[in-house]
Structures are given as structure tokens and as C-alpha cells.
Amino acid sequence: MKVLMKGNEALSEAAIRAGATLYFGYPITPQNEIGEYMSRRLPMVPGGAYIQAETEVASINMVYGAVCTGRRALTSSSSPGISLMMEGISYLAGAELPAVIVSIMRGGPGLGNINPEQADYFQATKGGGHGSYRMIALAPASVQEMTDLTVLAFDLADKYRNPVMVLADGNLGQMMEPVELQDSYPSTHDHSGWALTGPKGRKGHTVTSIYLDADEMEEYVHKLYRKYDEIERQETRFEEFQTEDAEVVIVAYGIVSRVVRSAVESLRQDGIKAGMVRPITLWPYPKAPLQRLARQAKFFLACEMSMGQMVEDVMLSVNGVRPVYFYGRSGGNVPTPAEVVAAVKQRM
Amino acid sequence: MQKVFERPKSLNDRPFHYCPGCGHGIVHRMIAEALDELGLQERTVLISPVGCSVFAYWYFETDNVQAAHGRAPAVGTGLKRANPDSIVISYQGDGDLASSGTAEIIHAAARGENFTVIFINNAIYGMTGGQMAPTTLVGQATSTSPYGRDPKFAGHPIHVSEMLASLKAPRYIERTSLNNVANLTRTKRAIKKALDLQNKGEGFTFVEVLAPCPTNWGVDPGEAIDWMESTMMPEYPLGVFRDVKGAEVKS
């Protein structure tokens, strides 16, 4: 049965039904509905706990502690708060801990504003925190996907023992759409081989990320990168829309992909063979469809609510074979289909 | 022959890497003895901080996690809330707890989180080579206060136990010292009491241990004890700062 829900609340309910009954977070707009929802629901859930942390730094470290026990836990924030979590995310990756972080992007840099943007793409996909690590980043484009990709995020986090970010924006967090949820999303992952529950009947387990010896550290980083290679092979997700014969390929993720969908239809009506590739995983990035389409397309256009971040991954994928252009809006302005159509026609 | 002294089973058979005269090895052993005596070892998760005791996990036959600098009380909050049956110990030094992690320690204490913090105060940064700490005494020379800590621009030392004792939720807060046998006994007793209270679900427990750091103080172990008694202990009075049931108890 479908129910009408706000993106942030639907995501929260999906997390609970996926067993994430521990939530740690600090208020920041436009994602406050997540913490508020969790504070209402979790006291009613067996084993549930909601803590309003003192800072986002503490939130992510509470997640670090909670997931050490093998349980699922969630934190969420928006741009400036996610910046504060970067140390913790690096530690989660370094210690190979499964954790899900929800980032509901707002305008920046600095204090910016509370309008939706996509300007934290670099932060989510290129590091943000220190050291050689990768974080899986999932980009929903609807309220339904806010729930589906949150459930997937927990599954991937557990499967690879790696932090996973659900990267959405203020639009997706705030808007209401019909959504269908299962009663529960059971986990099939067994963490008993490493989780910290006290060494009853076994040798002690240790979770750490320090390797003082150069060769030992390098060997560990290589092990992490073998895992990241596997994630790239197994978990890259994307959607193609009208690309079969596309001569113009527009690349957009999240809320912007919905604008671009309308723009593609409009361009088709004008006789321009346009199509769209929508990355669902931002890391690992769907290079393969772009490489394939580079053989048929005249040019690519990356469309984002930023000054141009994902466009760099489009360029790396296309690798100079075809021109890659960019159209973006900032400050919380959402590109309109007409603007995207005009941006395409300008390059014809 | 009857064995009258042996390694606690909560400690590994591994020599400590600490400097001669350092307090960490003593306190590690006290924690291990207390865990053995209270029968808590198999439920214990110990948090190693950043600092000289970053490898505390080498020594404890418990489950272990290493935390980012200052963040151990947040990690402890997550561990304990996720698994209330565990015994969680956050082992932290003064740079970690009283500087980088001031927000985390104050708020864990204010929430009355049901875990135990062992706070090693040696008035200096050890691992990074003897820089000024938030607990460095006025006039104390360190590698970043080479002319002595000057309160005109470096302020005064932070008294963490007194500060936390102003909060309503903490269950038990005591400051002890490693300067003589009587105070070693008191330290062990305080650690055991803190762990026992945690086991009973009574709330946040905190033991601050004044400890020598001969290497970074630039003195021999004997002189380090003399300096603790002449200079450090007058600044940081020993005693129980709080021993009351908290406003709310987490289990």
C-alpha cells in the first residue's frame, strides 16, 4: 500500500525497518525531519535509542561505536555538518566499519543557505576525509528511492564493511510523494567474527586503523583498494533514458535528473535525439555507459545544481573522445527544463 | 609451590612499550585486576585513545576499539547504547580528553552515559613529544611553552574532575595519584568502584589519575614523583568530587 510521505521521514522509516534502530544526530536544516522522526519512533522500538549529539563530530563517532557491536545505526546531516563528520568517515573507512550517513545537501560554501544544492558531490565521492579511502555514495531521485537506496545502503555497508552515504538534496528531503515500504528489510549479514560484544568464549576482537610500519600500512591500503575494485565491479548502478539512438547525452543525478527527463522529451519533440544517463551510484561512478555512448553521441552535457563537480567524472569517463559541456545553477536555484533545452541547443 | 602473584587474566602476556617511570602500565594493570576481581572481562570493550596509550589494545584481553583523538566518549556512547550489557571503558589522556575531546567528555557526562572513563593526567602531551597540554601547570616548561606556561596568553590548567562534578548526571568522580603506595591503593579502589557502579547500571563514572611522565618532564622517575608531590598535587587536589546517584540512570 502506498502512503504519502515526506522524503526525510520516508527515509527514516525505511532505516528503522532495515533494523537501524540507533540514531545519532545534530539538528541542521533541511534534514531536521530525520532526527525529529527518529526521536518520536525509536523510544517505541525494542533496543532503539535516539541521541541528540553535542556535535556532528560526536554523532559520527557515536555511529562508529554503535556499529562496532554489529548493530545498524544511522546519522544524518546537511552540508556544514557533513564537513564536521569527515574525520569520522575516514576512521570508519580505515577501520572497515559498516555505517550509513545521510547527507541532505544545502547551499554553500560556508554557512551558505538552506536551499537545495548538489555542491557536496566532491565531498561525498572524492574523499573529504583524509587518507586513501573510498565511500559508496547513492543518489536517490524520488521519495521512493530515498527509502529503497537507504535500505540498499545498509546492505552494501554490511556486505563490504564500508561507510555508505545516501546523498540527496533539500528538495528530496522536503518533498512529499507516494511511497511503498515493506514491513521489514532483514539483514543477512553476520558480524560475529569481528564485532565488539565482549570476548566471552573467544579471543578478543580489535577494531583499529593504525599501522605504524610503512609496509604494513601499504599492505592494508592495498587490501582496502582490492575491496574498492570489487565494489566498482559489482555495485555500479545507473539508469539510461532514451539513449538508444542518442546524439546528445545529458548526465544528471538526483532531483536534477527529473528536470532533465522533461528536457529530453522536449528536445525529442523538437527532433533532437537526446538521452539521459542518471548515475545512481556516484561512487562507484558509472563510467561504462558513458564510454559506450561516446561512440555514438556528438557531445555530453552534465547538468547539476552546483558550479560543476560531477562533470569532472563525465570528462574522465568520456576521456576526450567527445566534448563535455556543463550547465548548472547554484544558490538553491533548480534548473528548469527550458534552461536545459536551451543549454543543449546552444551547443548544436 | 603456591603462586602468590600473577598476571591478571584481563592482561596479555606482552611487555608494555611505555617509558621507564610512566604511569600507563600501572593503571593498565589496575584496570585488568579490577575486571578480574569483578568478573567483567568477558563483557568488556576497552576504547584506546590517541596518545601514548593508542596501543592500549595490545595489552587487554578484552574486546578493543581505537578511537579518534578526543572522540572516545562519543564512541563509548555508541558502544554502550547499542549493547547495554557490555562494560565499556574509555581510557584517555589529558590532550585527548581535556583539549580535543572537551565537548565529548562533558556531554557524555551530562547525559550520564553508563560507562567508565579513566583519565590519565600527566600535564603534558606524551606521544607527540612533550607539548603543552590543557592541564600543564602555570610555569611548567614544555616543548611549546619553553619559558613556562604563561597564564597571560596560555591561560590556566583545566580541572576536569571539578568541572564534570558541577553536572547533575555523573554518578562518581574521583581524582587519585600514582605518587605513593597509599595512593596507588586508592587508585585501584577507585577504578574498581567505578567499574562496579557501571556494572550495576548506575551511570557515568570517572577516575582522574595524576600520573608521572619522566621522559617529557625531562627528569628521572624519582624526581618525577617529587615534582608530582611538590607541584602537581597542590594544583590538582585528590579526592571524591561526586558520589551520588545521577539525575537519570542509563542501563
Side-chain angles (χ1 to χ4, degrees):
Chain A
M1 188 186 71
K2 285 199 171 181
V3 289
L4 190 65
M5 286 186 91
K6 202 172 195 178
N8 283 336
E9 296 189 340
L11 177 150
S12 306
E13 185 58 33
I16 294 170
R17 294 186 190 197
T21 53
L22 300 157
Y23 175 88
F24 311 95
Y26 186 89
I28 184 170
T29 310
Q31 62 81 55
N32 288 316
E33 294 82 2
I34 301 176
E36 289 169 356
Y37 191 90
M38 291 305 203
S39 73
R40 283 199 301 275
R41 280 277 278 121
L42 291 180
M44 314 301 163
V45 177
Y50 163 87
I51 296 185
Q52 185 165 316
E54 55 271 31
T55 59
E56 292 85 348
V57 177
S59 307
I60 193 74
N61 282 282
M62 288 175 187
V63 168
Y64 182 98
V67 300
C68 277
T69 67
R71 289 187 61 188
R72 285 179 167 178
L74 182 73
T75 188
S76 63
S77 190
S78 183
S79 309
I82 297 290
S83 293
L84 286 178
M85 292 187 186
M86 282 296 149
E87 174 199 50
I89 290 172
S90 171
Y91 270 77
L92 286 163
E96 290 201 273
L97 289 172
V100 174
I101 303 109
V102 173
S103 170
I104 306 293
M105 292 179 280
R106 56 185 251 173
L111 193 50
N113 63 27
I114 60 169
N115 299 327
E117 269 203 22
Q118 294 180 321
D120 301 339
Y121 178 93
F122 284 154
Q123 189 186 48
T125 64
K126 306 296 179 192
H130 57 282
S132 297
Y133 79 92
R134 285 294 198 178
M135 173 167 63
I136 298 169
L138 305 176
S142 64
V143 173
Q144 183 65 52
E145 280 195 349
M146 290 284 269
T147 70
D148 296 342
L149 294 186
T150 297
V151 173
L152 176 66
F154 281 105
D155 189 53
L156 294 177
D158 280 338
K159 183 174 176 185
Y160 294 102
R161 287 181 60 185
N162 207 68
V164 180
M165 180 172 277
V166 177
L167 188 72
D169 66 85
N171 283 316
L172 287 160
Q174 298 297 321
M175 70 192 206
M176 293 183 83
E177 284 185 321
V179 60
E180 185 143 28
L181 286 167
Q182 292 179 28
D183 289 341
S184 72
Y185 303 88
S187 166
T188 55
H189 302 278
D190 176 17
H191 295 315
S192 61
W194 62 268
L196 309 182
T197 51
K200 187 173 185 176
R202 57 164 171 78
K203 290 294 285 179
H205 291 159
T206 298
V207 170
T208 186
S209 60
I210 182 171
Y211 298 90
L212 288 186
D213 178 77
D215 290 336
E216 204 187 345
M217 181 83 239
E218 187 175 50
E219 187 183 289
Y220 181 68
V221 171
H222 283 175
K223 182 193 144 203
L224 289 179
Y225 272 73
R226 285 193 293 277
K227 176 173 83 175
Y228 301 150
D229 288 346
E230 177 71 8
I231 294 171
E232 285 202 83
R233 278 193 299 275
Q234 300 293 333
E235 309 299 346
T236 305
R237 288 167 167 80
F238 58 92
E239 180 199 355
E240 292 187 54
F241 177 65
Q242 303 207 359
T243 52
E244 298 78 11
D245 60 346
E247 293 174 352
V248 175
V249 176
I250 309 175
V251 189
Y253 69 96
I255 195 73
V256 180
S257 69
R258 295 170 66 154
V259 176
V260 169
R261 200 176 296 265
S262 302
V264 166
E265 284 167 350
S266 178
L267 286 162
R268 290 262 168 189
Q269 280 167 13
D270 293 346
I272 295 169
K273 289 181 181 170
M276 174 178 72
V277 174
R278 173 174 79 98
I280 296 171
T281 52
L282 300 179
W283 191 86
Y285 195 76
K287 293 175 195 155
L290 299 181
Q291 285 162 356
R292 172 173 55 74
L293 290 166
R295 289 198 287 270
Q296 71 185 57
K298 291 197 175 83
F299 65 87
F300 290 77
L301 177 77
C303 192
E304 302 173 56
M305 291 195 300
S306 77
M307 294 304 289
Q309 298 195 359
M310 183 196 65
V311 62
E312 294 188 7
D313 280 329
V314 180
M315 287 174 174
L316 286 169
S317 304
V318 172
N319 200 20
V321 173
R322 295 283 182 256
V324 176
Y325 302 112
F326 173 74
Y327 181 73
R329 295 294 306 271
S330 198
N333 292 304
V334 183
T336 63
E339 287 170 20
V340 178
V341 167
V344 169
K345 287 184 175 172
Q346 190 192 331
R347 271 100 187 179
M348 295 298 288
Chain B
M1 208 190 319
Q2 194 194 350
K3 203 183 253 185
V4 294
F5 188 79
E6 62 183 337
R7 182 167 41 82
K9 73 177 169 85
S10 297
L11 270 189
N12 287 318
D13 187 10
R14 177 169 184 162
F16 292 127
H17 71 283
Y18 301 114
C19 303
C22 170
H24 280 308
I26 299 167
V27 179
H28 283 13
R29 184 183 168 95
M30 287 173 175
I31 294 170
E33 285 178 358
L35 289 174
D36 282 12
E37 290 163 19
L38 294 166
L40 302 178
Q41 181 232 350
E42 60 187 20
R43 289 160 51 206
T44 297
V45 182
L46 185 124
I47 309 170
S48 301
V50 169
C52 289
S53 50
V54 66
F55 291 118
Y57 63 79
W58 281 349
Y59 308 116
F60 286 93
E61 272 294 344
T62 58
D63 276 358
N64 287 280
V65 56
Q66 198 285 315
H69 197 51
R71 317 291 169 238
V75 174
T77 298
L79 282 164
K80 192 74 183 193
R81 295 292 187 116
N83 184 13
D85 291 334
S86 60
I87 297 294
V88 172
I89 303 170
S90 178
Y91 188 98
Q92 299 179 260
D94 42 16
D96 181 89
L97 182 140
S99 196
S100 187
T102 41
E104 285 81 358
I105 191 62
I106 287 173
H107 287 272
R111 288 190 301 269
E113 294 293 340
N114 186 33
F115 60 78
T116 300
V117 178
I118 308 296
F119 171 42
I120 308 298
N121 179 358
N122 57 18
I124 205 159
Y125 281 77
M127 191 197 217
T128 46
Q131 293 83 7
M132 186 179 74
T135 49
T136 291
L137 306 186
V138 168
Q140 183 184 344
T142 71
S143 69
T144 53
S145 58
Y147 312 111
R149 180 175 186 164
D150 185 343
K152 285 204 294 290
F153 58 84
H156 291 265
I158 293 177
H159 296 72
V160 178
S161 289
E162 289 87 335
M163 194 165 67
L164 297 183
S166 73
L167 300 167
K168 271 193 178 171
R171 172 65 183 83
Y172 169 60
I173 298 172
E174 179 166 0
R175 181 185 289 126
T176 66
S177 173
L178 301 181
N179 66 304
N180 62 30
V181 174
N183 282 333
L184 289 174
T185 307
R186 286 192 190 97
T187 302
K188 163 72 187 297
R189 202 159 57 212
I191 290 170
K192 187 171 174 182
K193 176 173 175 170
L195 291 170
D196 189 42
L197 288 170
Q198 179 188 166
N199 187 38
K200 290 171 178 157
E202 295 203 9
F204 183 81
T205 50
F206 184 90
V207 181
E208 174 175 350
V209 182
L210 302 183
C213 180
T215 299
N216 286 301
W217 292 352
V219 295
D220 70 34
E223 291 166 341
I225 299 297
D226 293 343
W227 187 80
M228 285 179 77
E229 292 174 350
S230 68
T231 312
M232 197 176 175
M233 288 167 61
E235 176 72 26
Y236 296 111
L238 307 186
V240 176
F241 292 88
R242 192 169 173 85
D243 190 3
V244 289
K245 289 244 183 191
E248 195 190 350
V249 174
K250 305 292 181 309
S251 57

